[in-house]
Amino acid sequence: MAKMLDGPVPDGARSVAWPWYHHLLSTELTLDARKLLAAYSRVPQDQMESHIYSIRDKAWGIFPWPCVGEFWFLSFGLAKHPLYKNMVLPRLKAGQALLDVGTCLGQDIRKCIFDGAPAANLYASDLFPEYEDLAYDLWRDQDRLPPGHFFAENILAENATFTSGPLMTQLGPASVDIITMTMFLHLFNYENQLKAATRILRLLSHKPGSLIIGSQAGSIDFGEQTLKPPFHRSETGTKRTVFRHNPESFERLWKEASQATGIPLRISAVLQAPTDFLAGADSSFDLAVKKRRYLTRSETRRLYFSIMRT
């Protein structure tokens, strides 16, 4: 049975009547996504949409995340970060290693490969082991990204389980130069975000300049927010909350993680994207407030961050 981090799929969550299950592609199939599927995956144009629908429905069967229903696996969040072109990609081309935490179908590391990063140094992790084969089905690239680069891991597992798990034993502590997280930490409450942050720091290289980078749902007003149905209850029936950060609360979180691990960090976070960042992005940032607020609120914004070891 597919599970969330603390229990099985909530009752009714797989219904395709939820508004975040998009029955038809519209703006999700961007020019960037078409280009990658055509040039990298060699999916014929006349088969592209049916290919995407098939993959999405298989992913929905693994777990019905709203991001899956909305085809977010066609969005390359890392490439939109202002540091991608001028810092991340050059480092990868020079041989540094990257781990994508919460990879879903591995879209960000495929974009890195397409942009010239060596596949040998790119790794990915997610909760569901089924994502590895499904990502190969989507991107058709097992000849370019060999098995052994995906680690099925529960970042919130008991300490003994995590320590003996694949990230710590196969990839290894302090083993990666860059860790990316796109739309990941916002899945958790504050306590679990802090737990995940300290675990992630254990994987980051000891070298000064090692980098954690990404984006997530943020908010003008920080705090715990109760999720809406069908994800609003845990397996035990308690309310499930997620913590939404503004830049100040996000910085406090990582300062706590820094103190807990003894790892010195320089932390930067912004809500949405300042205008002067746009030149560094592959495509425009989401500057407007999201119009369709199924799981968001009027104060919701995108939060972009970078965390550097000093």
Side-chain angles (χ1 to χ4, degrees), residues 182-206:
T182 300
M183 311 305 278
F184 175 70
L185 275 184
H186 69 211
L187 297 172
F188 312 127
N189 61 24
Y190 191 94
E191 179 183 357
N192 283 335
Q193 287 185 23
L194 181 59
K195 184 176 183 178
T198 59
R199 297 266 174 90
I200 288 162
L201 285 174
R202 293 169 68 181
L203 298 165
L204 189 67
S205 169
H206 293 160

mmCIF file of all heavy atoms in Angstrom, residues 182-206:
data_model
loop_
_atom_site.group_PDB
_atom_site.id
_atom_site.type_symbol
_atom_site.label_atom_id
_atom_site.label_comp_id
_atom_site.label_asym_id
_atom_site.label_seq_id
_atom_site.Cartn_x
_atom_site.Cartn_y
_atom_site.Cartn_z
ATOM 1 N N THR A 182 13.013 20.923 -4.392
ATOM 2 C CA THR A 182 11.975 21.732 -5.015
ATOM 3 C C THR A 182 10.614 21.254 -4.525
ATOM 4 O O THR A 182 10.260 20.092 -4.697
ATOM 5 C CB THR A 182 12.040 21.634 -6.545
ATOM 6 O OG1 THR A 182 13.325 22.099 -6.986
ATOM 7 C CG2 THR A 182 10.951 22.481 -7.201
ATOM 8 N N MET A 183 9.879 22.149 -3.871
ATOM 9 C CA MET A 183 8.531 21.855 -3.376
ATOM 10 C C MET A 183 8.537 20.611 -2.484
ATOM 11 O O MET A 183 7.740 19.695 -2.642
ATOM 12 C CB MET A 183 7.552 21.682 -4.541
ATOM 13 C CG MET A 183 7.619 22.793 -5.576
ATOM 14 S SD MET A 183 7.393 24.459 -4.890
ATOM 15 C CE MET A 183 5.620 24.547 -4.785
ATOM 16 N N PHE A 184 9.439 20.599 -1.518
ATOM 17 C CA PHE A 184 9.608 19.428 -0.655
ATOM 18 C C PHE A 184 9.368 19.741 0.813
ATOM 19 O O PHE A 184 8.464 19.161 1.426
ATOM 20 C CB PHE A 184 11.013 18.850 -0.857
ATOM 21 C CG PHE A 184 11.340 17.708 0.059
ATOM 22 C CD1 PHE A 184 10.715 16.482 -0.092
ATOM 23 C CD2 PHE A 184 12.261 17.855 1.084
ATOM 24 C CE1 PHE A 184 11.001 15.424 0.760
ATOM 25 C CE2 PHE A 184 12.558 16.808 1.933
ATOM 26 C CZ PHE A 184 11.931 15.592 1.778
ATOM 27 N N LEU A 185 10.146 20.636 1.405
ATOM 28 C CA LEU A 185 10.035 20.864 2.850
ATOM 29 C C LEU A 185 8.650 21.339 3.263
ATOM 30 O O LEU A 185 8.226 21.097 4.397
ATOM 31 C CB LEU A 185 11.082 21.880 3.312
ATOM 32 C CG LEU A 185 12.473 21.367 3.637
ATOM 33 C CD1 LEU A 185 13.326 22.503 4.177
ATOM 34 C CD2 LEU A 185 12.438 20.220 4.644
ATOM 35 N N HIS A 186 7.940 22.002 2.370
ATOM 36 C CA HIS A 186 6.630 22.529 2.753
ATOM 37 C C HIS A 186 5.591 21.434 2.977
ATOM 38 O O HIS A 186 4.461 21.720 3.372
ATOM 39 C CB HIS A 186 6.136 23.540 1.723
ATOM 40 C CG HIS A 186 5.780 22.963 0.394
ATOM 41 N ND1 HIS A 186 5.908 23.656 -0.781
ATOM 42 C CD2 HIS A 186 5.290 21.749 0.025
ATOM 43 C CE1 HIS A 186 5.501 22.909 -1.793
ATOM 44 N NE2 HIS A 186 5.122 21.751 -1.328
ATOM 45 N N LEU A 187 5.965 20.167 2.735
ATOM 46 C CA LEU A 187 5.052 19.048 2.998
ATOM 47 C C LEU A 187 4.921 18.739 4.493
ATOM 48 O O LEU A 187 4.048 17.969 4.885
ATOM 49 C CB LEU A 187 5.540 17.792 2.287
ATOM 50 C CG LEU A 187 5.592 17.833 0.757
ATOM 51 C CD1 LEU A 187 6.272 16.584 0.221
ATOM 52 C CD2 LEU A 187 4.190 17.979 0.179
ATOM 53 N N PHE A 188 5.786 19.336 5.327
ATOM 54 C CA PHE A 188 5.896 18.918 6.727
ATOM 55 C C PHE A 188 5.559 20.056 7.691
ATOM 56 O O PHE A 188 5.625 21.239 7.342
ATOM 57 C CB PHE A 188 7.324 18.441 7.020
ATOM 58 C CG PHE A 188 7.866 17.477 6.001
ATOM 59 C CD1 PHE A 188 9.088 17.714 5.391
ATOM 60 C CD2 PHE A 188 7.159 16.340 5.653
ATOM 61 C CE1 PHE A 188 9.596 16.839 4.455
ATOM 62 C CE2 PHE A 188 7.655 15.450 4.719
ATOM 63 C CZ PHE A 188 8.885 15.696 4.118
ATOM 64 N N ASN A 189 5.265 19.661 8.935
ATOM 65 C CA ASN A 189 5.156 20.660 9.988
ATOM 66 C C ASN A 189 6.557 21.106 10.410
ATOM 67 O O ASN A 189 7.572 20.583 9.930
ATOM 68 C CB ASN A 189 4.340 20.126 11.172
ATOM 69 C CG ASN A 189 4.973 18.890 11.817
ATOM 70 O OD1 ASN A 189 6.180 18.649 11.735
ATOM 71 N ND2 ASN A 189 4.146 18.087 12.476
ATOM 72 N N TYR A 190 6.621 22.080 11.316
ATOM 73 C CA TYR A 190 7.920 22.663 11.663
ATOM 74 C C TYR A 190 8.858 21.622 12.267
ATOM 75 O O TYR A 190 10.049 21.557 11.912
ATOM 76 C CB TYR A 190 7.729 23.825 12.642
ATOM 77 C CG TYR A 190 8.994 24.641 12.849
ATOM 78 C CD1 TYR A 190 9.229 25.778 12.089
ATOM 79 C CD2 TYR A 190 9.952 24.276 13.799
ATOM 80 C CE1 TYR A 190 10.394 26.532 12.263
ATOM 81 C CE2 TYR A 190 11.111 25.016 13.972
ATOM 82 C CZ TYR A 190 11.319 26.138 13.197
ATOM 83 O OH TYR A 190 12.477 26.873 13.378
ATOM 84 N N GLU A 191 8.336 20.814 13.165
ATOM 85 C CA GLU A 191 9.166 19.801 13.818
ATOM 86 C C GLU A 191 9.801 18.862 12.799
ATOM 87 O O GLU A 191 10.999 18.552 12.880
ATOM 88 C CB GLU A 191 8.313 19.009 14.812
ATOM 89 C CG GLU A 191 9.077 17.909 15.533
ATOM 90 C CD GLU A 191 8.192 17.094 16.453
ATOM 91 O OE1 GLU A 191 6.992 17.418 16.572
ATOM 92 O OE2 GLU A 191 8.694 16.123 17.062
ATOM 93 N N ASN A 192 9.021 18.416 11.836
ATOM 94 C CA ASN A 192 9.554 17.496 10.840
ATOM 95 C C ASN A 192 10.438 18.199 9.816
ATOM 96 O O ASN A 192 11.358 17.588 9.262
ATOM 97 C CB ASN A 192 8.420 16.753 10.155
ATOM 98 C CG ASN A 192 7.858 15.641 11.023
ATOM 99 O OD1 ASN A 192 8.545 15.110 11.895
ATOM 100 N ND2 ASN A 192 6.602 15.296 10.805
ATOM 101 N N GLN A 193 10.179 19.477 9.555
ATOM 102 C CA GLN A 193 11.093 20.229 8.700
ATOM 103 C C GLN A 193 12.478 20.321 9.332
ATOM 104 O O GLN A 193 13.500 20.158 8.654
ATOM 105 C CB GLN A 193 10.550 21.625 8.429
ATOM 106 C CG GLN A 193 9.374 21.657 7.476
ATOM 107 C CD GLN A 193 8.940 23.069 7.143
ATOM 108 O OE1 GLN A 193 9.711 24.023 7.243
ATOM 109 N NE2 GLN A 193 7.685 23.218 6.742
ATOM 110 N N LEU A 194 12.508 20.570 10.628
ATOM 111 C CA LEU A 194 13.787 20.651 11.324
ATOM 112 C C LEU A 194 14.496 19.298 11.301
ATOM 113 O O LEU A 194 15.713 19.218 11.086
ATOM 114 C CB LEU A 194 13.579 21.128 12.761
ATOM 115 C CG LEU A 194 14.839 21.285 13.614
ATOM 116 C CD1 LEU A 194 15.804 22.275 12.985
ATOM 117 C CD2 LEU A 194 14.464 21.724 15.037
ATOM 118 N N LYS A 195 13.748 18.233 11.498
ATOM 119 C CA LYS A 195 14.327 16.891 11.447
ATOM 120 C C LYS A 195 14.895 16.610 10.060
ATOM 121 O O LYS A 195 16.018 16.104 9.927
ATOM 122 C CB LYS A 195 13.259 15.857 11.804
ATOM 123 C CG LYS A 195 13.759 14.419 11.893
ATOM 124 C CD LYS A 195 12.638 13.494 12.351
ATOM 125 C CE LYS A 195 13.115 12.060 12.535
ATOM 126 N NZ LYS A 195 12.013 11.183 13.023
ATOM 127 N N ALA A 196 14.128 16.947 9.018
ATOM 128 C CA ALA A 196 14.606 16.740 7.653
ATOM 129 C C ALA A 196 15.840 17.590 7.372
ATOM 130 O O ALA A 196 16.797 17.122 6.739
ATOM 131 C CB ALA A 196 13.496 17.068 6.656
ATOM 132 N N ALA A 197 15.846 18.821 7.841
ATOM 133 C CA ALA A 197 16.976 19.717 7.589
ATOM 134 C C ALA A 197 18.264 19.172 8.202
ATOM 135 O O ALA A 197 19.327 19.208 7.567
ATOM 136 C CB ALA A 197 16.670 21.111 8.145
ATOM 137 N N THR A 198 18.195 18.658 9.418
ATOM 138 C CA THR A 198 19.409 18.114 10.047
ATOM 139 C C THR A 198 19.886 16.862 9.320
ATOM 140 O O THR A 198 21.098 16.644 9.183
ATOM 141 C CB THR A 198 19.160 17.801 11.529
ATOM 142 O OG1 THR A 198 18.089 16.858 11.660
ATOM 143 C CG2 THR A 198 18.802 19.071 12.299
ATOM 144 N N ARG A 199 18.956 16.065 8.816
ATOM 145 C CA ARG A 199 19.338 14.868 8.044
ATOM 146 C C ARG A 199 20.023 15.280 6.734
ATOM 147 O O ARG A 199 21.023 14.697 6.321
ATOM 148 C CB ARG A 199 18.090 14.035 7.747
ATOM 149 C CG ARG A 199 17.391 13.495 9.012
ATOM 150 C CD ARG A 199 17.894 12.102 9.325
ATOM 151 N NE ARG A 199 17.377 11.580 10.578
ATOM 152 C CZ ARG A 199 16.243 10.883 10.704
ATOM 153 N NH1 ARG A 199 15.470 10.673 9.650
ATOM 154 N NH2 ARG A 199 15.892 10.385 11.884
ATOM 155 N N ILE A 200 19.459 16.272 6.086
ATOM 156 C CA ILE A 200 20.011 16.743 4.819
ATOM 157 C C ILE A 200 21.414 17.303 5.011
ATOM 158 O O ILE A 200 22.318 17.080 4.198
ATOM 159 C CB ILE A 200 19.054 17.768 4.187
ATOM 160 C CG1 ILE A 200 17.797 17.042 3.672
ATOM 161 C CG2 ILE A 200 19.721 18.566 3.082
ATOM 162 C CD1 ILE A 200 16.623 17.941 3.431
ATOM 163 N N LEU A 201 21.611 18.007 6.106
ATOM 164 C CA LEU A 201 22.939 18.562 6.383
ATOM 165 C C LEU A 201 23.982 17.461 6.586
ATOM 166 O O LEU A 201 25.165 17.652 6.278
ATOM 167 C CB LEU A 201 22.892 19.476 7.607
ATOM 168 C CG LEU A 201 22.262 20.852 7.379
ATOM 169 C CD1 LEU A 201 22.141 21.601 8.701
ATOM 170 C CD2 LEU A 201 23.088 21.664 6.383
ATOM 171 N N ARG A 202 23.567 16.316 7.064
ATOM 172 C CA ARG A 202 24.507 15.201 7.238
ATOM 173 C C ARG A 202 25.023 14.679 5.910
ATOM 174 O O ARG A 202 26.097 14.065 5.843
ATOM 175 C CB ARG A 202 23.840 14.069 8.026
ATOM 176 C CG ARG A 202 23.528 14.423 9.473
ATOM 177 C CD ARG A 202 22.638 13.392 10.142
ATOM 178 N NE ARG A 202 23.295 12.108 10.328
ATOM 179 C CZ ARG A 202 22.695 11.040 10.883
ATOM 180 N NH1 ARG A 202 21.431 11.136 11.266
ATOM 181 N NH2 ARG A 202 23.348 9.912 11.027
ATOM 182 N N LEU A 203 24.276 14.915 4.835
ATOM 183 C CA LEU A 203 24.673 14.439 3.512
ATOM 184 C C LEU A 203 25.533 15.447 2.759
ATOM 185 O O LEU A 203 26.179 15.100 1.772
ATOM 186 C CB LEU A 203 23.425 14.122 2.683
ATOM 187 C CG LEU A 203 22.526 13.019 3.248
ATOM 188 C CD1 LEU A 203 21.165 13.052 2.546
ATOM 189 C CD2 LEU A 203 23.172 11.650 3.090
ATOM 190 N N LEU A 204 25.545 16.703 3.219
ATOM 191 C CA LEU A 204 26.245 17.768 2.515
ATOM 192 C C LEU A 204 27.748 17.699 2.768
ATOM 193 O O LEU A 204 28.201 17.470 3.884
ATOM 194 C CB LEU A 204 25.704 19.126 2.975
ATOM 195 C CG LEU A 204 26.170 20.349 2.198
ATOM 196 C CD1 LEU A 204 25.625 20.326 0.758
ATOM 197 C CD2 LEU A 204 25.720 21.633 2.912
ATOM 198 N N SER A 205 28.514 17.933 1.710
ATOM 199 C CA SER A 205 29.973 17.924 1.813
ATOM 200 C C SER A 205 30.464 18.896 2.883
ATOM 201 O O SER A 205 29.849 19.936 3.142
ATOM 202 C CB SER A 205 30.579 18.295 0.459
ATOM 203 O OG SER A 205 31.964 18.538 0.574
ATOM 204 N N HIS A 206 31.593 18.551 3.497
ATOM 205 C CA HIS A 206 32.201 19.416 4.506
ATOM 206 C C HIS A 206 32.894 20.620 3.898
ATOM 207 O O HIS A 206 33.307 21.528 4.624
ATOM 208 C CB HIS A 206 33.213 18.610 5.333
ATOM 209 C CG HIS A 206 32.579 17.557 6.175
ATOM 210 N ND1 HIS A 206 33.281 16.469 6.669
ATOM 211 C CD2 HIS A 206 31.301 17.407 6.620
ATOM 212 C CE1 HIS A 206 32.468 15.704 7.378
ATOM 213 N NE2 HIS A 206 31.268 16.246 7.356
#
